[in-house]
Amino acid sequence: MTSEPGIETAAAGLRQQLADRLEKNGRLRSPEWREAVEIVPRHAFVPRFYRESDGLGVTTWEPVTQEIVGQEEWLRLVYSDETWITQFDGRDIDWSDPKPISNAAPTSSSTLPSLVVRMLEDLDVHEGLRVLEIGTGTGYSTALMCHRLGSEAVTSIETDEGVARRARQALARSGCLPHLSVGDGRAGHLRGAPYDRLIATCGFRSIPAAWLEQVRPGGVILTTLRGWMRSLGLVKLIVTGDSASGWFSEDEPSFMIARQQDAPESLGTIPGPDDGTQRRAAYGPEVLISAGPGFMGQLAAPDARFFAMPVDGGPVSTFVLDNPTGSFAVLSPTDNGWQVRQGGPRRLWDAIESAVATWEEYGSPSTAAFGVTVSRDAQVVWLGNPDGPQWPLPR
């Protein structure tokens, strides 16, 4: 962390303005977390980062440093309510001569502060509680918890050695000395168990069994569940012995998926023009990108992914491929709607349409109407109550 007086004075003012904005929009709800936001220097944790450019075409990210944009603009960006990318494709960035980056997948970032503090508020912590964080990232959220609870109460795990090293250095320079570890977050951190709270800053396809074992009964697990098509959203679970249950939040925040659960590189085999059986589709591909129907589609086809492309010079068709089973659905436009062609062990579009129809039957509810129950034997998302319609999570 730089110690230049001019930067520190400007940063302190920007932190207060950030806290004002977060409190006004309802994300920052307690004086204890407001104090943490006003004191912890985010610029110490994101001294260099990438932002998405405004150009058309292929997504491109531009580097941002003090030297490139100037001190004032750099600080303004750091303390804006935005997510900044700090790594692509699991590789360290050469900051000696940073260049724009295209055709790359972000693999580490500093999450927008409004989501960070909203999750910390939802975690419902107080002095004397011990927290396990899955995904140290830049270390900014770790530092907020250290300020709120004391470093000795915070344990954080990061899967990437380079990311972990930089976070450790930034935390130490900021006076924070939590228990830090490099490893697979799905395994938790048994040596420090049991924990009162567990918070994950990356997405998971299901709840790891180790988390249930390492969070005490009555403790809280706060994580984002997601699939390979989209995020399902933030879920807060209360642990009761060897199981846990809870509800999704009203909105659907998204995190990068845990690297150990990322989708395979291959989408699967594109079916031939005569493969499968054909019928008229009740819903078109728009359900995959709509908020409620997309949530249902992800539940119904947890291992699928989709893309669109023209076929034989004709209109654009949408391909839904399930690589693990080899199942597929191809949606093509017609004069009065859509037709679907399906093949493989699973009828993907049948499952998606059934889930969307159930959602509509129950009044097209928000994600807050859905809950989750997890145990060693089963993990399911349910609608309304645990006896309502259910969809299993991938194990």
Side-chain angles (χ1 to χ4, degrees):
M1 180 177 67
T2 180
S3 59
E4 295 180 38
I7 289 181
E8 294 311 310
T9 299
L14 290 170
R15 287 197 295 275
Q16 184 171 356
Q17 293 175 27
L18 175 61
D20 289 340
R21 293 196 299 273
L22 298 180
E23 185 172 349
K24 184 177 180 179
N25 67 24
R27 297 303 195 184
L28 197 54
R29 305 189 297 271
S30 64
E32 293 85 2
W33 284 119
R34 178 178 177 113
E35 179 182 294
V37 170
E38 289 182 336
I39 289 179
V40 173
R42 192 187 188 204
H43 66 278
F45 298 91
V46 280
R48 301 174 294 270
F49 55 90
Y50 273 77
R51 61 176 170 179
E52 189 173 336
S53 71
D54 296 328
L56 299 176
V58 176
T59 300
T60 300
W61 288 271
E62 301 172 338
V64 175
T65 67
Q66 289 189 68
E67 294 74 21
I68 294 173
V69 302
Q71 178 182 301
E72 183 177 350
E73 176 66 2
W74 166 70
L75 277 176
R76 185 191 69 80
L77 291 171
V78 166
Y79 288 102
S80 62
D81 190 25
E82 299 286 349
T83 292
W84 302 124
I85 307 302
T86 55
Q87 189 192 62
F88 297 89
D89 296 329
R91 296 192 294 266
D92 289 348
I93 295 168
D94 180 8
W95 285 107
S96 65
D97 185 25
K99 304 292 186 184
I101 294 177
S102 303
N103 297 313
T107 48
S108 191
S109 66
S110 179
T111 303
L112 67 164
S114 61
L115 178 53
V116 171
V117 299
R118 175 264 177 88
M119 290 181 67
L120 293 175
E121 292 275 14
D122 289 351
L123 198 60
D124 190 24
V125 298
H126 55 78
E127 287 75 5
L129 297 187
R130 300 174 64 251
V131 178
L132 174 62
E133 179 187 42
I134 309 297
T136 312
T138 64
Y140 176 64
S141 59
T142 318
L144 291 172
M145 288 189 286
C146 287
H147 179 82
R148 175 76 173 81
L149 300 171
S151 293
E152 69 283 352
V154 179
T155 299
S156 188
I157 303 172
E158 170 58 48
T159 191
D160 186 288
E161 291 188 4
V163 172
R165 180 181 65 254
R166 288 185 288 276
R168 185 185 301 272
Q169 293 169 349
L171 285 161
R173 288 195 296 267
S174 299
C176 301
L177 298 173
H179 307 285
L180 299 177
S181 178
V182 178
D184 183 347
R186 294 175 300 176
H189 192 262
L190 182 60
R191 189 168 58 192
Y195 302 96
D196 301 289
R197 302 286 188 269
L198 184 150
I199 181 172
T201 59
C202 49
F204 287 85
R205 280 161 53 81
S206 58
I207 303 298
W211 295 5
L212 297 177
E213 298 168 357
Q214 294 176 25
V215 177
R216 66 167 178 80
V220 173
I221 294 174
L222 188 66
T223 186
T224 298
L225 290 174
R226 65 162 302 137
W228 292 339
M229 288 194 291
R230 57 165 289 148
S231 174
L232 290 170
L234 184 66
V235 64
K236 182 176 181 178
L237 305 174
I238 307 300
V239 178
T240 55
D242 58 356
S243 66
S245 63
W247 296 85
F248 281 96
S249 64
E250 182 74 30
D251 51 3
E252 302 175 36
S254 179
F255 282 100
M256 300 171 190
I257 195 167
R259 295 188 192 182
Q260 294 81 4
Q261 294 190 335
D262 206 355
E265 288 188 14
S266 173
L267 287 168
T269 302
I270 297 177
D274 299 322
D275 292 342
T277 57
Q278 189 168 287
R279 67 168 174 82
R280 188 176 187 277
Y283 302 93
E286 70 279 354
V287 300
L288 297 173
I289 58 175
S290 303
F295 178 92
M296 302 307 300
Q298 180 61 73
L299 288 177
D303 297 325
R305 288 180 286 171
F306 70 93
F307 62 93
M309 70 175 189
V311 177
D312 296 331
V316 172
S317 294
T318 297
F319 291 75
V320 185
L321 304 182
D322 187 299
N323 193 6
T325 67
S327 302
F328 67 87
V330 183
L331 289 134
S332 303
T334 67
D335 291 339
N336 59 352
W338 294 86
Q339 67 180 17
V340 60
R341 182 163 48 88
Q342 302 179 88
R346 293 200 68 207
R347 290 297 184 262
L348 292 176
W349 206 246
D350 289 1
I352 290 172
E353 287 191 340
S354 176
V356 173
T358 299
W359 175 74
E360 291 179 339
E361 178 185 342
Y362 277 73
S364 305
S366 73
T367 52
F370 292 81
V372 183
T373 299
V374 301
S375 68
R376 286 183 173 274
D377 301 323
Q379 301 199 15
V380 296
V381 173
W382 37 263
L383 173 56
N385 61 71
D387 295 323
Q390 295 185 351
W391 296 266
L393 291 171
R395 300 301 298 275

